[in-house]
Amino acid sequence: MEKRKLGNSAIEIAPLVFGGNVFGWTADEAMTFRLLDAFTDAGFNAVDTADVYSAWVPGNSGGESETAIGKWFKKSGKRDRVILATKVGAELSKDPKGLSKKYIIAAAEASLKRLQTDYIDLYQSHYDDPQTPITETLEAYDQLVKDGKVRIIGASNFAVARLEESIKISQQEKLAVYQTFQPEFNLFDREDFETNIAPFTTANNVGVISYFSLASGFLSGKYRSKDDLQGSKRSGMVEKYLTARGFSILKALDEIAAEYHSNPAIISLSWLIAHPAVTAPIVSATSPEQLKQLTDSATLKLSEEAIVKLNKASSW
């Protein structure tokens, strides 16, 4: 399996990351264990979660995903085979949130306990916190790195200017530096990433772990009209993709999928993996069969002609 470095660090991951938002939500404990076993046994090694997953589910309070992963670590003994990424800063309730030093240190301890591990490979700022000085946030991460509880740090959902400022402060103050960034990026949602984000991350060797890789399922080809959205929990997220440009993308995906004896989801992910500014896209699955389809994207190599066709169909 091809491995790619996370930024300027020594950590290497396979070019596909399992998104743990489904653990403790649409995947119960038994299915979580099956999915993680199948993913790692197939040669993949990166799992991404967050302390807030899955607080949006009625009856949950956050931490469910980390708890499920921690139980799997204990049962499987595979902690040393996984590059574990989690996040801090999202609102767990009215008070616990943000990127203050005190909160990050406490949140890291809580995550480590739930995950049943001594260290986090990649600890990420889930959202920017304009109320907290950047230096204070970075000092907290630097302390965690020096204490051996975190290996490297990353950011998600930052404006590029804030990411740039954070990296400059890290370099000036000799503090831990953001090595990765998590943006929304897929065949449909290209403009912001390619215009604003990719030039900076590429120039500064910041690894990119993209989310919403299949545009909430639209790029799987499952949703092709408003009728297909009836009864779907994703209807509100998918409807915006039902445009002339969206259908143009699906047409190109269908044609290339037929050529490769594949399907639109695999082709979409292969396009992301082949993108020069992307380290690895995040994918989620709720069954081993679905996961097997998605992991096939890491070994499918699109021709230059296919990539050009997709770029043209999805141009903005």
Side-chain angles (χ1 to χ4, degrees):
M1 181 71 65
E2 173 199 5
K3 293 290 197 299
R4 299 176 175 183
K5 281 193 174 185
L6 292 180
N8 293 305
S9 77
I11 298 176
E12 295 184 332
I13 65 169
L16 208 60
V17 177
F18 199 117
N21 61 316
V22 295
F23 305 149
W25 178 28
T26 48
D28 62 17
E29 185 175 294
M31 182 55 71
T32 295
F33 289 9
R34 287 182 65 193
L35 290 167
L36 288 169
D37 280 331
F39 189 70
T40 51
D41 290 347
F44 297 90
N45 66 335
V47 177
D48 177 81
T49 186
D51 58 3
V52 74
Y53 298 164
S54 48
W56 57 85
V57 178
N60 285 4
S61 56
E64 288 80 15
S65 175
E66 290 183 332
T67 298
I69 294 169
K71 290 180 178 178
W72 175 72
F73 280 151
K74 186 175 182 181
K75 182 180 179 182
S76 69
K78 294 179 180 177
R79 174 65 185 96
D80 61 348
R81 290 173 56 181
V82 172
I83 300 302
L84 172 67
T86 191
K87 310 181 198 74
V88 60
E91 185 171 328
L92 282 163
S93 64
K94 216 168 187 183
D95 294 321
K97 62 179 178 179
L99 299 174
S100 69
K101 185 173 184 178
K102 181 180 179 182
Y103 182 62
I104 288 175
I105 299 297
E109 293 294 344
S111 286
L112 288 167
K113 186 175 181 181
R114 287 189 291 265
L115 290 160
Q116 300 192 51
T117 185
D118 296 327
Y119 66 98
I120 295 163
D121 294 288
L122 171 60
Y123 202 31
Q124 303 158 102
S125 296
H126 205 155
Y127 296 96
D128 193 6
D129 178 8
Q131 276 69 53
T132 299
I134 292 174
T135 303
E136 179 182 336
T137 297
L138 295 170
E139 284 175 347
Y141 287 134
D142 197 66
Q143 180 179 320
L144 289 169
V145 171
K146 286 175 178 173
D147 289 346
K149 295 176 180 179
V150 168
R151 294 179 69 190
I152 63 172
I153 62 171
S156 177
N157 303 301
F158 276 38
V160 173
R162 290 282 285 182
L163 179 63
E164 182 175 15
E165 186 179 0
S166 297
I167 290 175
K168 282 182 178 177
I169 290 173
S170 290
Q171 293 168 341
Q172 290 167 358
E173 303 296 326
K174 294 182 170 53
L175 299 170
V177 182
Y178 287 133
Q179 298 293 342
T180 63
F181 185 61
Q182 272 199 31
E184 177 178 4
F185 183 48
N186 55 61
L187 258 173
F188 191 102
D189 300 297
R190 291 178 57 187
E191 184 173 0
D192 182 48
F193 177 77
E194 293 182 347
T195 303
N196 301 314
I197 299 170
F200 177 79
T201 55
T202 300
N204 292 274
N205 201 31
V206 176
V208 170
I209 302 171
S210 56
Y211 66 84
F212 281 177
S213 303
L214 293 177
S216 300
F218 173 74
L219 295 172
S220 70
K222 182 179 179 181
Y223 308 104
R224 295 175 184 264
S225 70
K226 288 188 178 181
D227 290 341
D228 293 335
L229 299 177
Q230 297 299 318
S232 171
K233 293 178 181 178
R234 296 186 172 190
S235 58
M237 301 173 74
V238 176
E239 193 168 344
K240 66 180 180 179
Y241 297 116
L242 301 177
T243 64
R245 178 168 168 267
F247 296 133
S248 172
I249 294 170
L250 290 184
K251 182 174 182 291
L253 284 171
D254 287 338
E255 291 171 356
I256 294 170
E259 180 186 338
Y260 282 84
H261 306 288
S262 186
N263 64 52
I266 292 174
I267 300 300
S268 296
L269 292 172
S270 296
W271 178 85
L272 276 173
I273 291 170
H275 197 288
V278 173
T279 306
I282 296 172
V283 296
S284 288
T286 54
S287 71
E289 296 74 25
Q290 186 184 37
L291 179 63
K292 174 64 169 66
Q293 281 202 346
L294 298 178
T295 53
D296 283 347
S297 63
T299 54
L300 189 155
K301 303 296 183 186
L302 293 174
S303 67
E304 186 62 34
E305 184 182 17
I307 292 172
V308 168
K309 186 173 185 176
L310 289 169
N311 287 346
K312 186 176 180 181
S314 62
S315 63
W316 37 268

